Amino acid sequence: MENISKNKSFGGWHKQYSHVSSVLNCEMRFAIYLPPAANEKPVPVLYWLSGLTCTDENFMQKAGAFRKAAELGIAIVAPDTSPRGDDVADDEGYDLGKGAGFYLNATQAPWDKHYRMYDYIVKELPELVEQTFPVTQQRAIAGHSMGGHGAITIGLKNPERYSSISAFSPICHPVKAPWGQKAFSAYLGAGEQALWAEYDSCELIRQTVNQASDRLNIRVDQGEDDDFLQQQLMPEALEQAAKEADYPVEVHRHKGYDHSYYFISSFIDDHLEFHARFL
């Protein structure tokens, strides 16, 4: 693992690293913020998953999360959004290929050689982080847009690994959204509806209808002036699925806010405090 950069912030450290991923078969990059408390004892970790076209840098540079993370004693890990490299399959569109991994394990060629972001986020990256840095095995997961989709689906599928889930403007029902339909057709196969459902927040919540245990609290914040609200994000579908399954999902709507990091930076403190309750 190679340290690319480091910057002191609010008494802690933001650091970028590159490493060779055996899961993704390429070199990957991630960033970590270690709060001042990490100098005294291991701290819990919030994993942040970013959206389409993003890297590890978008959240770390734009969200303004370090002050509150330092206060609460929470580390933040931000991975890249897809495998990278000259031999990694790509697409001309921004919503498929590099920068658009959708946090799933691809089953279709040529994507299946590298695009296994689900296994990378759930297994390989946390193992690396926990072996290298002064952090505990207490984890929370959050994300934005495509990353919000990733955070909710990964949390729902692995409730024993996380304490809580949150998302800004998540793609809530990708099997019905153009972004999700394009990605799932390529990565998972056009006719594989049952496999698609395994990466859809609404479908996963419906599967819990008779399960009272292993339920994680979920917070979602959505801007009402988001250009993608109706066609791509569909928070009302998530609310309906949660209501039918009696699942603890709270959706906060905000007038005037869009899909940008101006929105995220306005409410990131609320998300960190939400996770701190369970961590």
Side-chain angles (χ1 to χ4, degrees):
M1 197 167 65
E2 179 184 357
N3 179 227
I4 300 171
S5 69
K6 63 178 181 178
N7 305 92
K8 195 162 188 178
S9 182
F10 296 103
W13 287 93
H14 167 268
K15 299 181 179 183
Q16 280 183 309
Y17 290 88
S18 65
H19 73 103
V20 175
S21 167
S22 59
V23 168
L24 302 176
N25 298 306
C26 65
E27 186 174 281
M28 288 295 287
R29 191 176 72 185
F30 72 92
I32 184 169
Y33 177 71
L34 291 166
N39 293 324
E40 306 297 330
K41 63 179 181 179
V43 296
V45 184
L46 173 66
Y47 286 85
W48 174 271
L49 309 183
S50 289
L52 290 167
T53 75
C54 291
T55 68
D56 65 289
E57 294 184 338
N58 296 73
F59 177 83
M60 293 303 212
Q61 295 181 6
K62 297 180 179 180
F66 296 162
R67 183 192 297 272
K68 182 59 68 171
E71 174 188 321
L72 296 172
I74 297 174
I76 302 173
V77 171
D80 204 344
T81 54
S82 78
R84 305 280 181 173
D86 293 340
D87 64 336
V88 174
D90 201 7
D91 185 80
E92 293 182 356
Y94 72 94
D95 51 359
L96 183 67
K98 295 178 186 178
F102 269 85
Y103 305 101
L104 50 73
N105 287 338
T107 60
Q108 302 297 304
W111 312 102
D112 56 346
K113 181 180 179 182
H114 297 285
Y115 285 77
R116 301 187 64 82
M117 288 296 293
Y118 176 88
D119 281 351
Y120 178 71
I121 298 300
V122 174
K123 299 175 183 177
E124 187 178 34
L125 183 60
E127 289 175 1
L128 179 62
V129 168
E130 289 162 14
Q131 290 169 3
T132 308
F133 302 102
V135 300
T136 70
Q137 292 185 345
Q138 290 178 282
R139 313 175 196 95
I141 192 163
H144 170 232
S145 194
M146 176 187 72
H149 141 77
I152 297 174
T153 55
I154 286 173
L156 288 170
K157 289 161 76 76
N158 300 276
E160 75 287 351
R161 292 185 63 84
Y162 304 98
S163 299
S164 49
I165 305 167
S166 75
F168 288 88
S169 317
I171 306 172
C172 296
H173 202 15
V175 301
K176 298 294 185 181
W179 279 338
Q181 291 171 341
K182 179 178 179 178
F184 288 4
S185 293
Y187 296 143
L188 304 175
E192 301 293 335
Q193 299 301 315
L195 187 54
W196 287 24
E198 291 301 310
Y199 297 101
D200 184 288
S201 298
C202 295
E203 298 302 326
L204 289 170
I205 283 179
R206 290 191 180 98
Q207 293 175 18
T208 72
V209 66
N210 294 317
Q211 300 174 12
S213 62
D214 293 333
R215 292 190 166 198
L216 303 182
N217 286 272
I218 302 175
R219 174 182 176 128
V220 172
D221 281 69
Q222 175 63 60
E224 292 189 347
D225 280 24
D226 192 318
D227 290 340
F228 306 111
L229 179 59
Q230 300 302 325
Q231 187 178 27
Q232 303 283 11
L233 307 181
M234 307 180 194
E236 67 283 349
L238 182 68
E239 288 180 297
Q240 183 61 36
K243 181 179 180 181
E244 293 171 1
D246 194 26
Y247 203 100
V249 177
E250 53 183 84
V251 178
H252 301 263
R253 286 180 165 81
H254 304 276
K255 292 181 179 180
Y257 287 92
D258 58 16
H259 199 70
S260 71
Y261 268 86
Y262 295 107
F263 172 45
I264 294 171
S265 63
S266 298
F267 299 99
I268 190 62
D269 285 4
D270 294 338
H271 280 238
L272 288 166
E273 289 174 348
F274 167 79
H275 290 294
R277 285 161 41 198
F278 306 103
L279 289 168

